Amino acid sequence: MFRSFFLALSILGVFSMVVSAQSVSDEAKKLHFSSIVMDTHDDTTQRLLDPKFDLAVRHTDGNIDIPRMRDGGLTGIFFSIWISGKTLGPEAVKKALDQIDAVRETVRKNPNDLVLATTAADVRAAKKQNKIAALMGIEGGHMMGNDLAVLRTFAALGVRYMTLTHMENNEWADSSTAKPEHNGLTDFGKDVVREMNRLGMIVDISHVSDKTFYDVLATSKAPVFASHSSCRAICDAKRNMTDDMIRDLAKNGGVIQINYHVGFLSQAFQDFEAAHPEVRKELNAELKKRCGDDEACSDVTGQQVVREFMKAGKLPRVDWTAIVDHIDHAVKIAGVDHVGLGSDFDGAGMPIGMEDVSHLPQITDALLKKGYSDSDIRKILGENTLRVLAEVQRLSQSMNK
Ligand SMILES: [Zn+2]
């Protein structure tokens, strides 16, 4: 009886409609898998520090591993080198170097799947060889220990961007999530930006205060990007960018890489969290139960718990289509040449339907359905990021002549 019931449903097309709610058209698959697909911000590096974690194996937790990157058609990924902004000085430098080593060792151990990339040409070559390009970005200027020699060492090891601050101010730049101390960038902060231009490192303005952002635009000779920020007009978070900022970033030739974090995508989610601190407490208690003090575990499990809470109605539901809303808004404000993808995978709360990197082709499908052209979609998926990378490199070469 059940069989005939389901047969009847499938004949009616109802069943196929239900299961294909997130299906991807053949046209979208063809476009997606032939495109350069970049992700400019990924926190999986924390997991790479665990000798038991193997990126080559398909995992049921977290957002990233090689099999799922293949499923998602990812061409290039910026592994974020991150430590808390409260850790400073030589310890911060040492921890950053450990993470750079972890990324490089992961590439060395997976030569059939990964290749270290530092230029746009490297990424295109990786695509041709059917490999995934691994790039690196430093998330927080505190890791250079106020020393340009350390910045130069990071660049020599292959790091291609630095987010000037994390959640805290450092000694030369104000963060968006701390009380302003420096009125933006200090004179040394401007030297850091100039040295990054010379070294061919992209200046990343995610996390910095609005004033720091404008000081960067006035100082940098090269285009800059926001490696993982979304639109403040849709969700009023300090970590997101106002329409004016997005417009000015575009004038500079830069790119806003849309962040998939539920708290940056949805105003309803943000408002609810602010109004209900007890839910955050319940969430943290649940996390403590599952992870103890293990930070890497908290990063990957935290978002699972958030999604469980959303599905149970304890938090407002945020669906993956909100990512497309932010992309579409940024395109309307800045033009299609200035928008890209910066997931924050393995470091933030992913929305329902974007549980991991394998879901990326849905974005291509959704943009096609919205009427975007193939070439515009390719720009958003990765070509804009490669343009900035190439532009920054070109300027660096001209400064070093
Ligand atoms: Zn971040």
Side-chain angles (χ1 to χ4, degrees):
M1 187 212 152
F2 277 133
R3 182 179 290 182
S4 60
F5 175 69
F6 277 113
L7 187 67
L9 276 182
S10 65
I11 288 166
L12 287 169
V14 176
F15 187 60
S16 64
M17 258 173 64
V18 172
V19 293
S20 66
Q22 284 175 25
S23 75
V24 173
S25 71
D26 288 342
E27 187 193 357
K29 277 184 200 156
K30 205 170 146 222
L31 173 61
H32 187 88
F33 287 96
S34 64
S35 298
I36 297 277
V37 183
M38 299 296 292
D39 183 344
T40 54
H41 196 88
D42 170 86
D43 283 308
T44 314
T45 318
Q46 302 301 317
R47 304 192 87 185
L48 302 182
L49 294 171
D50 176 356
K52 293 193 293 294
F53 180 80
D54 185 354
L55 194 72
V57 169
R58 187 182 294 272
H59 295 260
T60 51
D61 61 356
N63 309 127
I64 293 275
D65 48 50
I66 290 169
R68 288 185 289 174
M69 285 196 276
R70 295 263 187 215
D71 290 349
L74 197 65
T75 313
I77 178 168
F78 275 89
F79 286 102
S80 169
I81 308 301
W82 173 84
I83 60 163
S84 156
K86 295 190 179 81
T87 304
L88 301 169
E91 191 191 349
V93 177
K94 164 79 171 81
K95 286 190 161 168
L97 289 172
D98 286 347
Q99 291 186 29
I100 291 170
D101 179 66
V103 172
R104 295 181 63 109
E105 281 295 282
T106 300
V107 172
R108 186 178 68 80
K109 288 172 188 162
N110 295 282
N112 296 326
D113 292 302
L114 302 177
V115 60
L116 196 70
T118 58
T119 66
D122 287 348
V123 175
R124 292 191 196 283
K127 174 90 181 163
K128 280 210 180 85
Q129 295 162 22
N130 193 30
K131 289 183 187 176
I132 298 161
L135 301 98
M136 290 180 282
I138 295 264
E139 189 178 17
H142 59 292
M143 274 172 270
M144 57 172 269
N146 300 324
D147 187 347
L148 293 177
V150 176
L151 179 69
R152 288 189 281 270
T153 304
F154 288 157
L157 290 170
V159 175
R160 279 302 171 269
Y161 77 71
M162 185 168 79
T163 322
L164 297 185
T165 73
H166 192 239
M167 307 287 277
E168 295 79 11
N169 300 334
N170 56 38
E171 287 178 55
W172 43 269
D174 285 338
S175 164
S176 62
T177 43
K179 217 171 113 213
E181 274 177 71
H182 309 299
N183 189 31
L185 272 183
T186 67
D187 287 344
F188 179 70
K190 290 172 189 167
D191 286 344
V192 171
V193 168
R194 289 185 201 106
E195 188 65 351
M196 288 177 73
N197 284 168
R198 193 186 66 77
L199 291 166
M201 284 173 88
I202 301 168
V203 181
D204 176 16
I205 54 80
S206 282
H207 280 287
V208 304
S209 72
D210 294 7
K211 179 61 168 60
T212 303
F213 165 76
Y214 279 105
D215 285 353
V216 168
L217 283 195
T219 308
S220 178
K221 289 196 171 72
V224 305
F225 71 23
S227 73
H228 59 309
S229 296
S230 299
C231 306
R232 224 182 275 177
I234 300 179
C235 177
D236 188 11
K238 286 180 180 164
R239 277 279 288 100
N240 287 343
M241 298 180 75
T242 66
D243 287 354
D244 280 345
M245 290 164 80
I246 296 169
R247 243 177 245 120
D248 292 332
L249 179 80
K251 266 187 230 148
N252 151 290
V255 175
I256 174 171
Q257 315 279 6
I258 300 298
N259 186 316
Y260 310 168
H261 174 52
V262 285
F264 300 157
L265 290 176
S266 161
Q267 188 70 49
F269 187 95
Q270 223 208 38
D271 290 348
F272 186 90
E273 262 208 317
H276 297 276
E278 74 282 1
V279 178
R280 173 55 58 183
K281 267 192 203 151
E282 191 186 335
L283 211 145
N284 286 341
E286 183 60 33
L287 209 51
K288 189 94 183 163
K289 211 162 74 188
R290 297 193 200 181
C291 290
D293 293 324
D294 183 341
E295 239 175 66
C297 171
S298 300
D299 274 350
V300 295
T301 310
Q303 56 171 305
Q304 268 168 336
V305 180
V306 167
R307 280 194 298 273
E308 285 167 23
F309 275 38
M310 287 196 289
K311 284 174 183 165
K314 290 182 185 176
L315 282 168
R317 185 184 167 100
V318 185
D319 284 297
W320 69 276
T321 48
I323 299 166
V324 181
D325 296 341
H326 280 259
I327 292 171
D328 198 42
H329 178 81
V331 168
K332 285 193 178 104
I333 297 300
V336 76
D337 292 322
H338 304 286
V339 184
L341 308 175
S343 66
D344 222 344
F345 276 140
D346 281 337
M350 293 298 125
I352 291 173
M354 191 52 70
E355 285 78 8
D356 61 38
V357 63
S358 71
H359 293 265
L360 282 185
Q362 290 164 205
I363 293 177
T364 299
D365 192 64
L367 291 173
L368 271 176
K369 285 191 179 118
K370 271 189 182 291
Y372 279 72
S373 71
D374 287 10
S375 77
D376 283 355
I377 293 172
R378 285 190 207 275
K379 286 178 180 179
I380 294 164
L381 291 176
E383 291 296 336
N384 289 337
T385 299
L386 291 200
R387 185 195 71 234
V388 171
L389 200 55
E391 196 62 43
V392 168
Q393 188 193 11
R394 194 155 37 240
L395 180 90
S396 156
Q397 282 164 348
S398 75
M399 286 173 85
N400 287 310
K401 261 184 193 153

